[in-house]
Amino acid sequence: MSEETPFYPREKLVEKQKFYQNVQKHTYLKGRYDKLTSVAIPAALAATALFMIGRGIYNMSHGIGKKE
């Protein structure tokens, strides 16, 4: 049986592991755009949801937008 060649060279893997093990940030914030996907997008979704809930409560309490 022949061995399968690795997808990524072992030396580069070890190099990347050392880099990520030495970074002093949280694991999910180590990449270049990770702050955008882990922090900014969920914060924007939460803010939008809270705004829409608040608007709905305001409209219900003032009777705005009711069908006849």
Side-chain angles (χ1 to χ4, degrees):
M1 290 188 158
S2 65
E3 265 191 45
E4 195 174 319
T5 58
F7 290 114
Y8 207 66
R10 184 173 301 276
E11 297 81 26
K12 288 196 178 207
L13 252 175
V14 170
E15 187 180 311
K16 290 274 186 191
Q17 284 176 338
K18 285 181 183 175
F19 170 75
Y20 282 118
Q21 287 168 357
N22 290 331
V23 175
Q24 296 298 320
K25 296 181 191 174
H26 293 291
T27 306
Y28 57 90
L29 295 177
K30 288 185 178 179
R32 183 185 242 176
Y33 297 106
D34 290 341
K35 283 188 181 127
L36 177 70
T37 57
S38 295
V39 179
I41 294 174
L45 288 173
T48 304
L50 287 173
F51 171 75
M52 292 176 81
I53 290 169
R55 189 175 68 175
I57 291 171
Y58 177 83
N59 287 347
M60 280 193 295
S61 62
H62 288 87
I64 299 171
K66 289 193 324 187
K67 304 245 178 184
E68 300 217 28

